[in-house]
Amino acid sequence: MAEQTTEQIAGQTAEDRIARPRPVPVTIGRRPEPVHDVAVYAFEGMAPFELGVVVEVFGLARPELGGLLAAPWYGLRVCADRPGTPLDTVGGFALTARHGLDDLAAADTVVVPGVRNAFSGEVSPGLVEALRTAHERGARIVSICSGAFALAAAGLLDGKEATTHWRYAELLQQRHPRVRVNPDVLYVDNGDVLTSAGSAAGIDLCLHLVRRDHGAKVANSVARRFVVAPHRDGGQAQFIEAAVRPVEEDEDGVARSMQWALDHLADPLTVSVLARSARMSDRSYLRHFTARNGTSPMRWVVTQRIAASLALLESPEGSVEEIAAAVGFESAATFRHHFGRVMRTSPTAYRRSFGRGVA
């Protein structure tokens, strides 16, 4: 049966349409707007947490974002070497991926949430080839935890700084000596190739990607739904002592000093100033702050100032110089330096990408 044109359908009478219903021509599979496609790799024996993080961030509908989005949300595909074949996971259940490695190679962002056995060196040859194909096309390649071994096997980390879970770091360096492995950070952003440490650091990296793509307000909204901190600097240490030991009385002073600092970001802040607000000596404050937060007090302050600047840059009001002063940097040059280190872009470029109403 030949398809009817819109004009032919419009010319029919109501009786004709009731008596002889015909399909209205449509184009299947076309999206009204471009969507950034994310593909995540699933494999036999995988731990489901990291996969779940990717699905939660990129695959969940976001009606709460409303007018915050300047572009459509992501499209997500779960891909495997053999689509349609059940994959047993850690925890005693199975999942089935509907898409194969061709879809993974064609995505805009590819996430590898792990490999089956980092210690054995087992990496799917098909995955390695798909990663190379995707990278050559200009896709963004991302790993969580042991997924860095797949990126390294594909040669995508050669000459680059990268991280993985601390228990795999030495092995990754031995097996791939051309990679500069940093075992002490949450994630590393090399622009088109990004790596992160284990489990929870995958949340940090995924939120970092949302922040890069959609800005701080959108990333903060996603973090709120996740019920996690909206931003942890990728340079923060993986291992934090305070997470595995009781909070001591003087550490309450550290927490109070951090809240006080957030209320006084525009003021001159030094270790001595923060220590006084915690009612501690400088030396004791440094030791307890680093044990509690996995980073130094001043690096934390810089990160908080950068985070505070994002919403200001997304507003059309205020010059870069004015924003730098408003969040406590001594000069615009210092602001630009630290902003580039943390965000891997300049304040002006960030404003151009995420500013609303900014020419």
Side-chain angles (χ1 to χ4, degrees):
M1 182 181 295
E3 293 183 341
Q4 291 178 297
T5 66
T6 302
E7 290 78 8
Q8 289 172 324
I9 293 173
Q12 290 180 339
T13 65
E15 290 77 14
D16 288 335
R17 289 195 294 273
I18 293 172
R20 294 178 296 164
R22 298 178 185 271
V24 177
V26 295
T27 303
I28 303 300
R30 293 285 297 278
R31 294 176 172 128
E33 298 180 80
V35 173
H36 185 108
D37 284 313
V38 177
V40 58
Y41 180 64
F43 54 93
E44 182 79 14
M46 73 181 306
F49 179 86
E50 289 82 0
L51 174 66
V53 167
V54 178
V55 172
E56 176 81 12
V57 173
F58 300 109
L60 195 65
R62 300 286 173 183
E64 74 275 11
L65 294 179
L68 286 178
L69 286 178
W73 198 240
Y74 304 88
L76 177 69
R77 295 179 179 178
V78 179
C79 304
D81 292 88
R82 297 188 303 277
T85 301
L87 301 170
D88 290 331
T89 72
V90 173
F93 64 94
L95 60 85
T96 302
R98 297 178 179 176
H99 302 280
L101 295 182
D102 287 345
D103 287 312
L104 184 140
D108 301 302
T109 292
V110 176
V111 184
V112 183
V115 295
R116 182 169 184 176
N117 190 333
F119 294 105
S120 71
E122 180 182 352
V123 178
S124 160
L127 173 62
V128 168
E129 185 60 32
L131 289 174
R132 289 172 178 163
T133 300
H135 187 253
E136 289 170 1
R137 291 181 36 254
R140 185 169 58 186
I141 312 297
V142 179
S143 70
I144 301 173
C145 196
S146 64
F149 285 84
L151 275 59
L156 305 186
L157 299 181
D158 288 352
K160 294 183 172 68
E161 182 183 349
T163 194
T164 185
H165 193 289
W166 56 265
R167 70 190 293 252
Y168 302 133
E170 184 177 354
L171 178 62
L172 180 63
Q173 187 66 82
Q174 291 174 352
R175 190 170 294 158
H176 300 281
R178 297 183 64 185
V179 181
R180 303 196 308 273
V181 179
N182 186 343
D184 299 322
V185 297
L186 294 178
Y187 59 84
V188 176
D189 181 349
N190 287 300
D192 58 345
V193 179
L194 304 92
T195 55
S196 70
S199 299
I203 300 175
D204 296 304
L205 181 53
C206 288
L207 290 174
H208 174 72
L209 293 175
V210 173
R211 189 178 300 105
R212 272 182 45 173
D213 294 343
H214 295 286
K217 289 183 179 179
V218 171
N220 291 347
S221 178
V222 175
R224 278 195 299 273
R225 185 159 173 177
F226 237 115
V227 198
V228 296
H231 179 66
R232 289 201 296 172
D233 180 14
Q236 182 170 317
Q238 290 188 31
F239 181 74
I240 302 173
E241 287 184 50
V244 293
R245 62 182 175 82
V247 176
E248 300 172 7
E249 183 178 352
D250 53 2
E251 285 187 322
D252 291 341
V254 171
R256 287 195 302 270
S257 74
M258 293 170 70
Q259 184 57 57
W260 181 87
L262 292 175
D263 295 333
H264 296 82
L265 285 177
D267 298 343
L269 297 177
T270 64
V271 171
S272 294
V273 169
L274 294 174
R276 283 199 301 272
S277 71
R279 299 177 184 175
M280 299 167 66
S281 69
D282 290 8
R283 183 176 179 179
S284 179
Y285 183 79
L286 275 169
R287 178 166 57 86
H288 286 289
F289 188 101
T290 302
R292 181 186 183 93
N293 299 294
T295 190
S296 70
M298 296 318 298
R299 182 162 186 164
W300 177 84
V301 167
V302 166
T303 301
Q304 301 310 309
R305 284 172 167 165
I306 295 298
S309 75
L310 299 182
L312 300 178
L313 289 169
E314 292 174 15
S315 166
E317 300 178 0
S319 65
V320 170
E321 289 74 12
E322 290 169 334
I323 292 172
V327 296
F329 287 103
E330 295 179 356
S331 68
T334 303
F335 175 44
R336 291 187 180 98
H337 168 76
H338 288 296
F339 195 95
R341 179 184 62 80
V342 173
M343 300 300 296
R344 302 300 177 100
T345 188
S346 69
T348 301
Y350 182 90
R351 167 168 270 183
R352 189 181 304 119
S353 297
F354 302 116
R356 301 187 181 278
V358 181

